[in-house]
């Protein structure tokens, strides 16, 4: 096949869309077509629902979708982390069973990593998986599990060996969430939403073929999931808001956003809603205050530079060059952006920042930003952990002395209150 | 200027701290903040009388305890620390406005019931424009047979729906700025007064919008001459609020420290990580500086220092930054649990956010300070 260019890809995708796009199809039927043709995730391998398209040409596909208002594959939430992990570490069976249903949105996923006793220290997980007969039997508790109450499948990190040092005793599983041994209880957050859960796992069962990666190598697989999560941190900013267009498929998409995707409703607010800043400043007249102007400019500078840093990282990846340090910064920078955005929203709103709900600016959206932003520097690995990763792995600074990696996990001091 | 607490004042603080810790545990804060008025009237009356909270700075001739701004600063700081759900700041502001704006007869008539807490009072001065100065007052007062009629809307009124007595700032039609400004007293059952609770970010302190459609009001003090009393009241309010804020900030700092010492990750307490230590040290510096500024402003208020407007603004700017930053750090130090509703940190975080902008944000107060110092 000849070299693909921007023009050739544009022509190709446009022709395909013109032949296939139909707003009266059902959402699942349409996404199934996308998964089969590879235009939903064009950078994925051809063998697995993709087009092997270089990253640099992906925006062309997006533009063509936008041009005619075509709906894309299901992208929001944990499901793409699941897909990325499965693509890297899964067996062909996993890929066949899960990838297509991820893209069509038929399956929803959650990430069962954090526990009451181990959050930053994920490798300290105490949930245990034991082989009984021909099945894995799982017992333990997970917490802060986003969307667990909606999920069909969970990415589970569990301990399979208590005598090995902590990183070596973990294994990675795909857990069927729809079984009696798995109970998800939504936890209320400070912003009033209840998108994360505590998950009680009691004698839940997993078939051996639903283990991913080798026994005792769960940490390696988990690292892949985490890397994708941190890379995509800035992607949260722009996740699906339903189209206002008419047609069955749009109705179904809106319904999906209102139900399965409901836990993510506040995610744009948690990123700070930089997109609202300039208009709010103009509407309130605060754009004439030189101090406010400076703070807005500082925010826009930070947020633009962050966007371009992410692009630089993608471009390097695309051109097959080793990624520079720019690839490790996005998660930390997104916290800075969110916090500065909250500051600026407060300055712009003045006294109105005290009001919420219908009485608050933008019908409560500003208040929701102010009380959601603190999640950004915690979820997906705290700022402190990001700084540790950057300083130790990217900058090669000496590691903190470790107190718990050299010995059997059962001898490591643990939280007594859980 | 005396700038240290006396033994009696330290003792008063200790007693009060213990008392409020008993009366206002967070279980109680949560119970009260979930109610429409945001506090329990009977419980508040008792609490107020036992400790003489709203009475502290009211002279004895008017039924108060006759202490000064330093003691009131202590009360506010401790109330902020315990996140007391009560119309304390509202009543203190109303009493302050009356103390500085009313004639002798009015003070004797209006203040005693505020001092005992039998009457809940508030000061309604800000309007929908959200301005915190005389220039922001657009409500008009028209003379009507010895009394006045008020027209306009007040917003962000502290405990505006619960108050029995509302002290209102309004102006003579056609005037602006400091000109033509007067204070009025309006009972909450006045005709043509509409009170609407506002949905608030900080549920521990309720706000209301009050609409006046020709409400009959009693003039406080002299007509058109309230600018000085108004400014003085706002300056003192700023000092009292700053005191409350540093109390809250210190509580957040201490709770986060206790948590860090207890929580283990990577086989040791998170307090052992240098980044946690540095955060705690930075919090201590910021909170202690803000406390010094609030204490200095309260002492200056007590002594009638001419520089008070600048000192009050300095204290509020420092408190706004310190409280918010401490709240952000406190949640961060708690990790995931800090983002839950069940953990108490967010209660103070929300109070910090609301207090940051109430009476004007740090940027506003830094500007006021510079102007007062002719910079
Ligand atoms: C909105 C939200 C959604 C989430 N969704 C999920 C999910 O779907 N699945 C899931 O598994 N988890 C999820 N989490 C959990 C999240 O990943 C953890 O909260 C986070 O990793 C921190 O862990 P922790 O809460 O146990 O805090 P801790 O690890 O106890 O951290 C407490 C404090 O100690 C600091 N600290 C810890 N270790 C170090 C160190 N070595 N050096 C310096 N400082 C340190 C932390 O930075 C933090 O400030 C979610 C969290 C939030 C807030």
């Amino acid at each position: 096949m000849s070299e693909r260019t921007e023009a050739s890809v544009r022509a190709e995708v446009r022709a395909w869309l013109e032949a296939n796009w139909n707003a009266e199809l059902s959402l699942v039927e349409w996404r199934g077509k996308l998964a089969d043709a590879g235009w939903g995730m064009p950078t994925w391998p051809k063998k697995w629902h993709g087009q092997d398209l270089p990253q640099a040409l992906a925006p062309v596909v997006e533009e063509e979708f936008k041009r005619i208002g075509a709906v894309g594959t299901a992208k929001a939430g944990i499901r793409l982390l699941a897909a990325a992990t499965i693509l890297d570490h899964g067996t062909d069976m996993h890929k066949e069973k899960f990838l297509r249903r991820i893209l069509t949105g038929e399956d929803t996923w959650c990430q069962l990593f954090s526990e009451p006793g181990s959050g930053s220290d994920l490798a300290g997980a105490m949930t245990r998986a034991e082989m009984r007969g021909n099945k894995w039997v799982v017992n333990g508790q997970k917490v802060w599990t986003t969307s667990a109450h909606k999920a069909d499948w969970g990415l589970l990190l569990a301990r399979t060996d208590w005598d090995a040092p902590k990183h070596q005793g973990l294994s990675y599983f795909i857990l069927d969430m729809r079984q009696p041994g798995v109970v998800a209880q939504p936890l209320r957050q400070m912003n009033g939403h209840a998108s994360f859960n505590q998950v009680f796992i009691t004698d839940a069962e997993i078939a051996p073929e639903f283990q991913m990666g080798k026994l005792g190598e769960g940490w390696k697989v988990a690292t892949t999931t985490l890397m994708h999560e941190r890379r995509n941190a800035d992607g949260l900013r722009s996740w699906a808001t339903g189209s206002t267009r008419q047609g069955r498929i749009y109705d179904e998409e809106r319904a999906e956003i209102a139900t399965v995707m409901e836990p993510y409703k506040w995610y744009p607010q948690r990123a700070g809603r930089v997109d609202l800043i300039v208009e709010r400043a103009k509407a309130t007249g605060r754009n004439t205050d030189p101090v406010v102007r400076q703070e807005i400019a500082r925010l826009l500078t930070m947020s633009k530079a962050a966007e371009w840093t992410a692009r630089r990282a993608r471009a390097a990846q695309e051109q097959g060059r080793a990624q520079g340090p720019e690839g490790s910064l996005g998660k930390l920078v997104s916290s800075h952006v969110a916090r500065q955005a909250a500051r600026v929203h407060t300055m712009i709103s003045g006294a109105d920042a005290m009001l919420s709900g219908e009485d608050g600016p933008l019908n409560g959206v500003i208040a929701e930003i102010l009380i959601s932003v603190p999640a950004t520097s915690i979820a997906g690995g705290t700022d402190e952990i990001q700084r540790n990763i950057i300083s130790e792995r990217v900058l090669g600074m000496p590691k903190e002395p470790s107190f718990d990696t050299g010995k059997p996990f059962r001898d490591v001091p643990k939280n007594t209150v859980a | 200027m005396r700038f240290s607490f006396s033994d009696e004042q330290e003792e008063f603080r200790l007693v009060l701290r213990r008392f409020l810790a008993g009366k206002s545990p967070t279980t109680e804060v949560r119970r009260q903040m979930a109610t429409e008025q945001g506090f329990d009237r009977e419980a508040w009356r008792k609490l107020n009388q036992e400790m003489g909270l709203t009475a502290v700075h009211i002279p004895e001739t008017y039924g108060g305890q006759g202490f000064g701004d330093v003691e009131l600063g202590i009360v506010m700081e401790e109330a902020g620390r315990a996140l007391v759900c009560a119309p304390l700041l509202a009543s203190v502001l109303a009493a302050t406005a009356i103390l500085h704006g009313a004639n002798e007869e009015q003070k004797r008539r209006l203040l005693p019931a505020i001092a005992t807490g039998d009457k809940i009072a508030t000061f309604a001065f800000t309007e929908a424009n959200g301005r915190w100065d005389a220039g922001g007052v657009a409500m008009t007062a028209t003379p009507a047979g010895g009394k006045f009629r008020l027209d306009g809307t007040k917003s962000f009124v502290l405990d505006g729906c619960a108050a029995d007595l509302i002290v209102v700032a309004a102006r003579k039609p056609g005037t602006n700025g400091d000109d033509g400004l007067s204070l009025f007293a309006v009972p909450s059952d006045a005709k043509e007064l509409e009170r609407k609770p506002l949905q608030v970010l900080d549920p521990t302190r309720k706000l209301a919008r009050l609409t006046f459609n020709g409400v009959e009001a009693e003039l406080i003090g002299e007509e058109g001459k309230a600018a000085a009393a108004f400014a003085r009241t706002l300056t003192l309010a700023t000092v009292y609020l700053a005191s409350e804020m540093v109390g809250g900030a210190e509580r957040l700092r201490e709770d986060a420290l206790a948590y860090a010492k207890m929580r283990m990750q990577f086989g040791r307490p998170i307090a052992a990580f240098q980044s946690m230590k540095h955060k705690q040290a930075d919090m201590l510096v910021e909170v202690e500086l803000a406390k010094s500024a609030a204490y200095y402003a309260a002492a200056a208020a007590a002594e009638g220092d001419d520089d008070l407007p600048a000192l009050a603004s300095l204290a509020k700017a420092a408190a706004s930054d310190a409280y918010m930053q401490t709240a952000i750090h406190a949640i961060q130090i708690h990790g995931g649990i800090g983002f839950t509703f069940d953990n108490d940190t967010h209660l103070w975080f929300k109070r910090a956010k609301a207090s940051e902008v109430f009476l004007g944000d740090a940027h506003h107060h830094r500007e006021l300070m510079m102007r007062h110092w002719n910079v």
Side-chain angles (χ1 to χ4, degrees):
Chain A
M1 197 177 72
S2 62
E3 182 83 13
R4 285 160 122 180
T5 63
E6 188 178 323
S8 79
V9 170
R10 196 178 293 284
E12 216 180 326
V13 66
R14 189 175 289 189
W16 188 86
L17 281 173
E18 270 161 18
N20 291 281
W21 169 242
N22 175 359
E24 292 306 321
L25 289 177
S26 85
L27 193 57
V28 169
E29 195 182 347
W30 163 246
R31 285 173 172 169
K33 278 176 186 279
L34 283 177
D36 297 339
W39 288 116
M41 294 303 271
T43 58
W44 281 14
K46 270 216 159 120
K47 182 160 182 223
W48 300 111
H49 312 294
Q51 279 281 345
D52 275 323
L53 205 65
Q55 189 71 50
L57 292 177
V60 176
V61 178
E62 245 172 76
E63 280 162 29
E64 288 303 309
F65 270 65
K66 251 200 203 129
R67 199 178 60 84
I68 67 167
V71 172
T73 45
K75 289 202 173 92
I78 302 294
R79 53 165 60 90
L80 282 195
L81 301 185
T85 311
I86 290 170
L87 277 171
D88 279 3
H89 298 279
T91 61
D92 279 2
M93 185 278 276
H94 296 150
K95 291 174 188 165
E96 252 150 49
K97 182 169 170 64
F98 297 118
L99 292 178
R100 195 171 189 280
R101 290 176 63 87
I102 285 175
L103 297 184
T104 58
E106 286 164 284
D107 285 347
T108 297
W109 287 69
C110 68
Q111 181 187 18
L112 299 157
F113 284 10
S114 304
E115 299 185 6
S118 58
S120 296
D121 182 18
L122 278 180
M126 307 230 283
T127 293
R128 62 172 72 224
E130 293 158 303
M131 193 49 119
R132 278 192 218 152
N134 58 354
K135 285 195 179 86
W136 288 105
V137 177
V138 187
N139 282 283
Q141 188 192 339
K142 295 289 176 176
V143 76
W144 323 132
T145 321
T146 302
S147 194
H149 55 312
K150 309 262 181 189
D152 303 290
W153 300 98
L155 302 169
L156 173 73
L157 190 61
R159 189 158 303 277
T160 44
D161 184 350
W162 294 72
D163 295 315
K166 67 174 188 178
H167 290 95
Q168 278 108 64
L170 296 165
S171 300
Y172 198 106
F173 301 92
I174 296 169
L175 175 72
D176 182 352
M177 297 291 286
R178 313 278 187 195
Q179 57 172 310
V182 179
V183 176
Q185 275 178 5
L187 292 169
R188 192 168 172 209
Q189 293 139 354
M190 64 176 275
N191 61 2
H193 291 277
S195 57
F196 60 34
N197 298 261
Q198 44 188 344
V199 180
F200 299 96
I201 309 175
T202 317
D203 289 335
E205 295 184 350
I206 300 177
E209 60 270 25
F210 282 19
Q211 190 200 317
M212 228 197 303
K214 295 204 183 93
L215 190 67
E217 291 189 1
W219 182 246
K220 197 171 109 189
V221 185
T223 308
T224 303
T225 314
L226 291 173
M227 204 183 64
H228 282 281
E229 181 173 23
R230 288 159 191 178
R231 285 253 169 85
N232 291 333
D234 53 343
L236 288 173
R237 230 175 287 168
S238 56
W239 95 273
T241 38
S243 154
T244 51
R245 294 174 195 243
Q246 298 301 308
R248 172 182 178 189
I249 198 163
Y250 299 117
D251 292 341
E252 289 187 14
E253 190 188 33
R254 280 188 289 268
E256 179 183 62
I257 288 169
T259 57
V260 190
M261 291 293 110
E262 190 277 338
Y264 299 97
K265 179 159 91 177
W266 60 278
Y267 273 43
Q269 278 66 273
R270 117 182 184 186
R273 292 306 297 271
V274 178
D275 60 312
L276 298 176
I277 292 276
V278 169
E279 231 164 275
R280 282 278 301 154
K282 286 184 186 164
T284 53
R286 299 290 282 146
N287 61 329
T288 58
D289 181 325
V291 179
V292 177
R293 290 173 72 81
Q294 285 288 319
E295 292 300 321
I296 294 173
R298 192 198 300 275
L299 171 64
L300 296 180
T301 305
M302 207 190 267
S303 136
K304 288 284 176 207
E307 237 175 272
W308 296 330
T309 305
R311 261 171 69 177
R312 244 173 89 203
R314 272 202 305 275
Q317 194 183 14
E318 164 46 30
Q319 288 155 349
R321 280 190 241 135
Q323 236 184 37
E326 70 276 5
S328 316
L329 312 182
K331 170 79 177 73
L332 183 59
V333 172
S334 70
S335 299
H336 295 338
V337 170
R339 257 200 302 268
Q340 172 70 0
R343 259 172 59 80
V344 179
H345 275 302
T346 305
M347 280 183 117
I348 291 174
S349 296
D352 280 337
M354 293 188 285
L355 304 182
S356 66
E358 286 159 20
D359 293 322
L362 298 186
N363 212 8
V365 169
I366 299 298
E368 186 158 283
I369 294 168
L370 301 180
I371 56 176
S372 296
V373 156
T376 305
S377 47
I378 299 170
T382 66
D383 279 8
E384 289 71 31
I385 293 302
Q386 296 310 310
R387 288 195 182 93
N388 286 350
I389 293 174
I390 291 168
S391 56
E392 293 176 4
R393 303 223 191 111
V394 180
L395 299 175
M397 296 170 86
K399 279 202 180 244
E400 292 247 343
S402 156
F403 291 78
D404 61 347
T405 47
K407 48 185 144 189
F409 184 71
R410 61 170 85 254
D411 301 333
V412 168
K414 304 179 182 75
N415 282 296
T416 43
V417 280
Chain B
M1 188 170 88
R2 188 188 163 94
F3 182 46
S4 67
F5 295 109
S6 67
D7 289 345
E8 290 77 19
Q9 288 167 337
E10 291 290 6
E11 176 64 21
F12 175 56
R13 176 192 297 285
L14 259 177
V15 171
L16 190 57
R17 179 170 299 187
R18 243 179 264 137
F19 186 78
L20 292 179
K23 294 284 179 191
S24 179
T26 52
T27 44
E28 192 55 21
V29 172
R30 286 170 183 273
R31 192 180 67 75
Q32 302 209 7
M33 76 186 196
T35 63
E36 196 174 317
Q37 295 223 320
F39 62 92
D40 187 67
R41 220 179 159 95
E42 214 21 59
W44 162 241
R45 213 172 59 87
K46 272 212 218 114
L47 178 88
N48 188 46
Q49 281 174 359
E50 267 174 84
M51 295 307 294
L53 301 181
T54 48
V56 170
H57 79 315
I58 297 177
E60 281 163 309
T61 22
Y62 310 129
Q65 300 209 333
F67 291 109
D69 295 309
V70 173
E71 288 79 7
L72 181 56
I74 293 173
V75 168
M76 295 310 299
E77 187 181 351
E78 295 306 316
R81 177 185 181 84
L83 205 61
V84 176
C85 288
L88 175 62
L89 185 60
S91 288
V92 164
L93 295 199
T96 306
I98 293 168
L99 273 171
H100 292 279
N103 61 38
E104 189 58 27
E105 182 277 323
Q106 289 173 322
K107 289 183 201 173
R108 284 180 191 277
R109 178 157 46 87
L110 298 173
L111 289 171
I114 300 177
T116 57
D118 288 326
K119 268 203 176 156
I120 291 164
T122 191
F123 185 31
F125 55 105
T126 312
E127 307 193 355
N129 58 37
R131 284 180 59 178
W132 306 100
D133 58 7
V137 176
M139 178 174 286
T140 57
T142 343
K147 292 239 176 181
F148 286 80
R149 292 202 179 280
L150 303 182
D151 286 282
T153 301
K154 294 291 173 187
S155 198
F156 313 104
V157 182
L158 291 173
D159 298 304
C161 284
D164 307 302
L165 173 69
I166 304 155
V167 178
V168 186
R171 64 172 61 258
K172 191 173 173 171
T175 63
N176 50 51
D178 281 352
D179 237 25
L181 203 67
S182 307
L183 297 177
F184 298 90
V186 175
S188 62
D189 55 4
K191 283 203 192 98
E192 308 306 329
L193 170 63
E194 258 175 63
R195 305 199 284 176
K196 180 188 175 292
L198 291 167
Q199 291 184 52
V200 283
L201 181 138
D202 164 25
T204 64
R205 183 124 80 198
K206 307 299 185 201
L207 301 174
R209 180 183 303 137
L210 310 185
T211 309
F212 297 71
N213 293 310
V215 172
E216 192 178 276
E218 175 193 346
L219 176 68
I220 291 184
E222 274 183 72
E223 192 195 352
K225 302 251 166 69
F230 182 83
R232 181 80 188 165
T233 303
L234 275 199
T235 297
L236 289 168
T238 305
V239 177
Y240 306 150
L241 179 61
S243 306
E244 187 196 87
M245 292 169 77
V246 298
E250 183 168 77
R251 171 68 179 269
L252 277 172
R253 182 188 69 66
E254 290 173 3
D255 285 359
L257 178 60
Y259 184 78
K261 287 179 175 169
M262 189 189 79
R263 171 75 173 168
M264 305 267 286
Q265 290 290 276
F266 302 96
R268 53 182 174 157
I270 58 170
F273 296 116
Q274 213 158 50
S275 72
M276 291 290 110
K277 291 179 186 159
H278 289 182
K279 227 188 265 307
Q280 291 287 354
D282 287 344
M283 289 159 86
L284 181 69
V285 169
E286 222 176 335
V287 173
E288 290 301 318
L289 291 185
K291 275 167 67 183
S292 303
Y295 294 167
Y296 197 87
E303 299 216 345
D305 191 322
D306 286 343
D307 221 13
L308 184 63
L311 300 172
S313 283
L314 186 158
K316 174 63 166 65
S320 285
D321 286 347
Y323 201 0
M324 203 56 233
Q325 186 56 64
T326 307
I328 290 169
H329 281 332
I331 291 184
Q332 185 67 20
I333 289 167
H334 279 82
I337 207 163
F339 192 64
T340 62
F341 194 82
D342 278 355
N343 183 269
D344 291 331
T345 313
H346 74 98
L347 303 175
W348 277 270
F349 179 96
K350 290 169 184 170
R351 176 64 77 78
K353 183 47 84 179
S355 306
E356 183 189 0
V357 296
F358 192 74
L359 301 180
D361 65 10
H363 148 47
H364 171 78
H365 280 287
R366 281 191 281 263
E367 180 60 31
L368 290 184
M369 180 185 91
M370 296 294 272
R371 281 193 207 164
H372 188 83
W373 282 341
N374 286 320
V375 184

